[in-house]
Amino acid sequence: MATDLHELLRSLRVWDPEVTTLPAFDPATAPATPLELFTTWFAEAVAAGQTEPHTMSLATADAEGRPDVRTVMLHGADADGWAFASHAHSRKGRHLAVRPYAALGFYWPVLGRQVRVRGPVTAAPSGEGQADLHARSTGALAAALTGRQSEVLGSLDELARVSEESWERARREPAAPVPSWTLYRLAPEEVEFFQGDERRRHVRLDYRRRDGGWVRELLWP
């Protein structure tokens, strides 16, 4: 019997109280900068047992302005921006080369929280990208060495062969260079924090960069 998608969707509930505790959020107590609040919320998501809290949606657009989105890993967040990495020749890398602007989306359902970040993106110097790559796992290096990201793949057998070769090289040369590997930084112009509420009185606090500082505003849910 085929699955009834609509029936399945109607059976689902958001923020089941049996597994989710929606914390209170008083925006009046929020810090002056979004990075401080993000760091606090990220730590709270980790403490609450959120699975893979460092994954995020990355939205870019191609030369014609057509949007695309995928899930990537956060590599860091500091005064220089939110960082992620990819091959320069990947689809996202090509998008950012022609339209260096992106949006990030974090969702931590265990707390009913979202964080959205938008701003221009720049590529870090090559040395920083290589240092970031080599500070990660052998598997991360092997995946980077496999390369060819977003290109057409002939077969899974070809992927298995090239991947195995890359794993062997990564173990043998833990500092092997991957010239196309690029560390990107998104400098936030806007950061929104969303705290879900069981009665749908969601709290949305928006930070916007203005005159070298940050202006905070509440948004209707």
Side-chain angles (χ1 to χ4, degrees), residues 27 29-34 36-37 40 205 207 216:
T29 66
T33 70
E36 293 177 80
L37 184 54
T40 297
L205 178 63
Y207 288 76
R216 291 176 292 176

Side-chain angles (χ1 to χ4, degrees), residues 138-139 141-143 145-147 156-172:
T138 300
L141 176 57
L145 287 167
T146 299
L156 293 181
D157 288 339
E158 181 183 7
L159 172 61
R161 176 180 57 78
V162 175
S163 176
E164 187 59 35
E165 293 171 354
S166 297
W167 272 89
E168 291 177 2
R169 186 182 177 194
R171 295 187 185 102
R172 186 175 65 250

